[in-house]
Amino acid sequence: MTAATACRVTPVRVLRSEWAKLWSVRSTGLALGATALLTVAIGAVVGANHSSGNGDGTTGPVQFTLLGIQFSQLIVAVLGVMVAAGEYSTGTIRATLTAVPRRLPVLWAKAAVFGAVAFATLLATAFATFAISQSFLSGTDQEAALTDPGIARALVGAAAGIALIGVISLALGAALRGVPAGIGAYIGGLLLVPEVVGALPFGEDAVAYFPSRTLEALMATGSAADLLAPGTALVALCAWVAVALGAAGLLLRRRDV
């Protein structure tokens, strides 16, 4: 093997580098651990205190048992912003882009590594929370089993939806190059704007395609008039990811570090 070959930048090496960087900071383990603990704890408390008739009758068993994952979405989003924007605050992004002068492989690798880790964590958390919560819900109107229609698909959808929203947040952090700005963009763009649009005439149809509502559709076990079909919701959410990463990639290529 020549020296040039040994030092050549390859997609696998960029992925390995981003994997190492992701786990080199304490916030990664703390944030993912908090996500899992919060989701499981809330699911257990909700399940232990529920009795038939004290709900609104419209929440499905997956949405009911995974109430905590809605709060965990914020943790994953903030972590996504930090993964991308943290290097700008420390200045290490200069070394990263010097090693990978084409730049875009760095963004793709960050998104792939973070998305995969977030999805794996959330998937295990979702199934564990469902099992623990259902141990308290036997005989109630929220009793369900993994083999029931739509249950496993909704659990996977919940994990995939929040992981993809986390990747959108990562793209915001990369585009804005600052943790506070990225978090502000996430809160304003993904949480507040849909509420404003929904209040406008005929805005409800448009809101169904926003990330927060597509997540609801992915977690639903049945159909609802105000939600997209799960397949359509996944396509819409992936489109948001593509747009966010595309914009971040364009800015990364065109401006100075």
Side-chain angles (χ1 to χ4, degrees):
M1 179 182 295
T2 65
T5 302
C7 298
R8 184 164 57 92
V9 175
T10 66
V12 173
R13 287 172 176 169
V14 178
L15 284 168
R16 290 171 61 184
S17 173
E18 292 304 324
W19 173 270
K21 283 191 286 185
L22 179 66
W23 293 109
S24 66
V25 292
R26 186 178 300 176
S27 59
T28 299
L30 292 176
L32 294 177
T35 296
L37 288 175
L38 181 63
T39 305
V40 171
I42 292 178
V45 170
V46 167
N49 289 278
H50 177 73
S51 59
S52 296
N54 65 0
D56 60 12
T58 61
T59 303
V62 171
Q63 292 172 306
F64 181 79
T65 56
L66 295 184
L67 284 176
I69 213 167
Q70 301 291 341
F71 301 100
S72 300
Q73 176 186 334
L74 178 60
I75 300 176
V76 173
V78 170
L79 181 60
V81 171
M82 293 174 61
V83 167
E87 283 198 74
Y88 286 96
S89 62
T90 61
T92 55
I93 189 65
R94 294 182 179 86
T96 296
L97 297 184
T98 298
V100 189
R102 292 178 60 190
R103 296 192 174 193
L104 289 183
V106 174
L107 180 61
W108 310 149
K110 284 184 184 294
V113 169
F114 176 71
V117 169
F119 175 70
T121 302
L122 291 162
L123 186 64
T125 299
F127 275 87
T129 303
F130 181 81
I132 292 171
S133 183
Q134 283 298 321
S135 67
F136 298 104
L137 293 172
S138 178
T140 70
D141 55 356
Q142 292 292 346
E143 180 181 7
L146 281 175
T147 53
D148 291 345
I151 296 296
R153 190 268 307 154
L155 291 171
V156 175
I162 294 182
L164 289 172
I165 288 175
V167 174
I168 294 175
S169 300
L170 182 148
L172 291 174
L176 298 174
R177 299 189 292 184
V179 174
I183 295 174
Y186 161 75
I187 294 175
L190 275 70
L191 300 183
L192 299 183
V193 169
E195 298 298 323
V196 174
V197 173
L200 299 174
F202 308 107
E204 189 63 30
D205 292 336
V207 169
Y209 291 88
F210 277 70
S212 57
R213 294 302 297 275
T214 57
L215 176 60
E216 290 183 39
L218 290 172
M219 293 178 63
T221 52
S223 59
D226 60 338
L227 295 177
L228 300 175
T232 305
L234 181 60
V235 171
L237 188 52
C238 287
W240 281 101
V241 172
V243 170
L245 286 176
L250 183 63
L251 291 172
L252 183 63
R253 287 289 300 273
R254 289 192 170 186
R255 67 191 177 191
D256 295 332
V257 177

